[in-house]
Amino acid sequence: MTFSVRGAVCAAAPAVLAVLTVVALGAGPAHADGGGRADGSRGPAVAWSAAPSSGGGTRPAKDGRPSFYAEGTPGAVLHDTLSVTNPGPKPRTITLRGADARNTGSGALSVTPAKGTPKDTGAWISFAKRQVKVPPRTRAEVPFTLTVPTDAMPGDHPGAIVASGGGRTVGVRVDLRVDGPTLSALTVERVDVDTDAGTISYDLVNRGNTVLTPKLAVHADGVLGALLDRPARTLPVELLPGRRVSLTEPWPDAPALDSVDVELTATAAGGARDTATASARFVPWGAVAGGGALLLAAVGGALHLVRRRGRRDAEAPEADGDGERVGAKRELARAGTGDEL
């Protein structure tokens, strides 16, 4: 993304926005959207598009910048232009708004919804016109300003311009960096090993003020040595400042029986680095349950035999090696009952 240059930064209050201009287009190739082909013939429908202006207004937006980049001090006013192109045979009414960028819980990028209220870059964007009617086969150049608040924090402030119309929504990214000290920092948190699913889950948190593209290295040791040693690789995540994402690392060949220590190391540009560990016990509970049942059965059988032997001993005549003493005990037990001795 390149947003003009520093020369486009104004220190004064927001200037009057330039007047919206339109540039006629020749018939072009079809894209995908309702409205028919650009040349009026039948075939795949064409799509309107939105992109950063190429600058001169003579080249198609697709040949220019893919996104906006802006840099300035707190209080600066930045200027640029959005191109909205309608190659179809019908006019299009396009609504524009500013939005803040953010991470979803799984790490994907999203923007402030239409019914939401942006509080960062999206709130600092102002358009010459929020609603633009683009004639057929025409490109409209829509000026806008980005006013950096005087109390804006240094670092990266990602946002977007969202254009909607004709059942289609297009987002154009805006990367703003406010001048001042920057810090690249991240932490690895809440590491957990799911021994049933064979996965390692963890959180990455951007503790700095710059956008990070983290790398992750994974190491695991068992009782007999290393089980897992994955070198650092770039994650498919663009972690925005202050954001937390929850990710999962697959471990399909996890051990069936072992005591494991897992170590995750995350790094990113600017010196960001952090390591976190977790321990887990892999136990084949199905086999353990079957073995336990056999063990319980064996113990139960042994107890039953012990009890039966105890009952037989209790019912047997008492014998202590002296027959006379035994007979005397029986006679004493019968004395006083009226029975004949």
Side-chain angles (χ1 to χ4, degrees):
M1 290 179 163
T2 42
F3 196 154
S4 300
V5 291
R6 280 184 179 270
V9 177
C10 303
V16 177
L17 294 167
V19 179
L20 179 147
T21 59
V22 295
V23 178
L25 303 175
H31 301 282
D33 190 24
R37 290 177 57 90
D39 58 6
S41 62
R42 293 184 178 182
V46 296
W48 63 266
S49 62
S53 173
S54 59
T58 57
R59 292 183 299 160
K62 67 182 181 65
D63 295 333
R65 299 170 290 163
S67 51
F68 294 104
Y69 177 79
E71 186 173 353
T73 59
V77 180
L78 311 175
H79 299 264
D80 214 313
T81 304
L82 177 76
S83 290
V84 181
T85 304
N86 177 20
K90 298 180 180 180
R92 290 288 185 190
T93 299
I94 308 300
T95 301
L96 305 173
R97 65 181 178 90
D100 297 338
R102 60 187 181 182
N103 286 114
T104 64
S106 61
L109 289 179
S110 67
V111 298
T112 310
K115 294 184 179 180
T117 302
K119 299 179 180 179
D120 203 71
T121 301
W124 307 341
I125 296 174
S126 299
F127 299 95
K129 295 181 66 174
R130 293 186 64 86
Q131 197 168 68
V132 181
K133 187 172 184 178
V134 187
R137 303 178 184 87
T138 302
R139 181 171 68 251
E141 302 289 336
V142 186
F144 68 92
T145 60
L146 197 163
T147 304
V148 184
T150 56
D151 60 349
M153 297 293 293
D156 292 337
H157 296 260
I161 292 174
V162 180
S164 303
R168 174 180 170 84
T169 298
V170 174
V172 183
R173 181 163 168 169
V174 177
D175 278 332
L176 169 67
R177 170 162 287 192
V178 178
D179 289 348
T182 58
L183 172 66
S184 296
L186 80 165
T187 56
V188 185
E189 302 178 6
R190 301 191 343 187
V191 179
D192 181 69
V193 181
D194 189 329
T195 57
D196 294 326
T199 59
I200 305 169
S201 61
Y202 60 98
D203 285 2
L204 286 182
V205 187
N206 188 338
R207 300 292 184 182
N209 61 356
T210 62
V211 176
L212 300 177
T213 302
K215 295 182 177 182
L216 183 74
V218 184
H219 186 84
D221 285 324
V223 173
L224 299 180
L227 298 172
L228 195 62
D229 192 14
R230 296 177 185 170
R233 76 183 196 287
T234 301
L235 298 175
V237 173
E238 195 169 4
L239 191 55
L240 306 185
R243 298 294 182 178
R244 173 189 295 269
V245 298
S246 298
L247 304 173
T248 300
E249 188 77 9
W251 194 359
D253 54 348
L257 177 62
D258 209 336
S259 177
V260 177
D261 293 320
V262 175
E263 179 181 88
L264 303 184
T265 301
T267 57
R273 181 185 179 90
D274 190 43
T275 298
T277 61
S279 298
R281 302 291 182 268
F282 287 86
V283 180
W285 291 112
V288 171
L294 293 175
L295 178 61
L296 289 175
V299 172
L303 289 175
H304 180 68
L305 291 175
V306 170
R307 289 171 181 168
R308 288 186 60 184
R309 179 171 296 178
R311 284 198 298 270
R312 287 199 302 268
D313 291 345
E315 294 172 356
E318 188 173 357
D320 56 3
D322 189 347
E324 294 181 356
R325 291 179 58 190
V326 173
K329 289 181 180 179
R330 290 178 178 174
E331 291 180 356
L332 289 175
R334 294 165 56 189
T337 63
D339 295 336
E340 183 178 354
L341 298 178

